[in-house]
Amino acid sequence: MNNPYIDFHNHSIWHEEDVIEVVSIHGSQQKNKKYYTIGFHPWWTAAPLNAEQLHLIEYAYTSDPYCLGIGEFGLDKLKGANAEIQAEVMEQHLRIADKHKAPIILHCVRQFERALIFRRQYDDFPWAVHGFVRNKILARQVLDAGIQLSLAPHHQMSPVFEEMLKYVPLDRIFIETDSEFRVNIQDRYRIFALLRQKSVEEIKQIVSENFCRFYTDKWKYHDGSNALTY
């Protein structure tokens, strides 16, 4: 049986056949979804999370088998609250993730040095940074810290981005659309497969294996190999 396309991180479900979509939910936001992650995005979080917001994240992850992880949340030098608030909110998410060993989806813009410091403190559960577009040197640093990369190949990529896409180990990547819907997930797989001189089916197989490892505890429930224990 062919593996599905997996859109590892997006913001609006497309209802396409043969695609697994993981929708990013911000707080109590209501979106059409099946599989999803939940967190408080740094662009729209102006203060540390209160008890109700923290409970919302923890309850969704521990009670809903379709909530696969926590995120997106993180650090953004260009937008959102000041650096101190962003760091506090990030650590609030990380404490919940650490308690339940939940996978996290990280938003990070020009704050990788600080994010890697957090990673050294909270390294006992899976991390993925979504929308990674930086160079292969930074990619190596992130990968060496045990963080996966979610990538969004497209038709007009910079040489630096292409070089990084050709470099990253295939067992450490995911493919996403994020909120850019002009290029669908199927085309992104085709672009990436061409760069890596692989077939689309090979890339689908690799990403599916990566996905099952990353979300292993929750995904065992959905693939029928194990009962959910939360």
Side-chain angles (χ1 to χ4, degrees):
M1 185 175 72
N2 289 339
N3 288 289
Y5 291 94
I6 295 176
D7 190 345
F8 184 75
H9 177 86
N10 72 24
H11 291 271
S12 179
I13 196 165
W14 288 47
H15 293 299
E16 294 189 87
E17 292 185 7
D18 197 31
V19 180
I20 291 173
E21 299 168 297
V22 184
V23 177
S24 180
I25 302 296
H26 174 76
S28 58
Q29 191 177 45
Q30 297 299 309
K31 284 186 177 180
N32 192 10
K33 64 187 185 299
K34 182 176 182 181
Y35 305 111
Y36 68 101
T37 61
I38 188 167
F40 286 82
H41 194 292
W43 289 2
W44 306 301
T45 307
L49 303 183
N50 59 38
E52 182 179 353
Q53 291 169 320
L54 294 169
H55 175 74
L56 176 69
I57 298 168
E58 187 166 17
Y59 183 77
Y61 182 74
T62 58
S63 67
D64 188 351
Y66 292 93
C67 181
L68 301 182
I70 295 174
E72 68 185 286
F73 64 88
L75 307 170
D76 194 312
K77 191 171 185 178
L78 303 181
K79 193 170 181 179
N82 64 48
E84 289 71 26
I85 289 174
Q86 288 192 17
E88 184 173 350
V89 172
M90 178 160 174
E91 189 151 24
Q92 288 178 302
H93 284 87
L94 290 172
R95 289 191 193 111
I96 296 171
D98 189 47
K99 180 179 177 181
H100 300 287
K101 305 308 173 194
I104 68 156
I105 309 302
L106 181 65
H107 172 103
C108 192
V109 176
R110 299 189 185 180
Q111 291 280 25
F112 279 96
E113 184 176 353
R114 197 165 196 180
L116 292 175
I117 292 171
F118 276 117
R119 174 61 179 173
R120 289 193 287 272
Q121 297 173 270
Y122 295 94
D123 64 353
D124 196 27
F125 49 91
W127 288 42
V129 58
H130 95 87
F132 189 84
V133 296
R134 301 291 296 278
N135 59 57
K136 71 178 189 180
I137 296 172
L138 182 57
R140 183 73 267 167
Q141 293 174 339
V142 173
L143 292 164
D144 285 347
I147 302 173
Q148 309 283 97
L149 302 179
S150 186
L151 312 165
H154 54 90
H155 295 296
Q156 296 179 316
M157 299 180 291
S158 71
V160 170
F161 188 36
E162 279 200 26
E163 182 184 37
M164 185 270 292
L165 292 177
K166 292 176 181 178
Y167 164 77
V168 292
L170 292 176
D171 64 349
R172 304 292 301 282
I173 61 98
F174 305 106
I175 299 178
E176 65 176 56
T177 56
D178 194 14
S179 56
E180 174 48 75
F181 303 122
R182 287 177 293 181
V183 184
N184 66 24
I185 195 65
Q186 294 90 339
D187 282 343
R188 294 182 193 277
Y189 272 73
R190 284 190 278 271
I191 293 165
F192 187 70
L194 184 63
L195 278 174
R196 298 306 294 258
Q197 299 183 318
K198 301 281 186 183
S199 71
V200 170
E201 287 304 320
E202 286 177 298
I203 298 301
K204 286 166 68 178
Q205 173 71 31
I206 290 164
V207 173
S208 291
E209 291 172 355
N210 296 347
F211 183 84
C212 292
R213 282 195 304 272
F214 188 77
Y215 286 127
T216 182
D217 289 341
K218 288 292 184 86
W219 204 249
K220 286 177 182 177
Y221 172 82
H222 296 290
D223 69 14
S225 63
N226 193 28
L228 196 65
T229 57
Y230 294 102

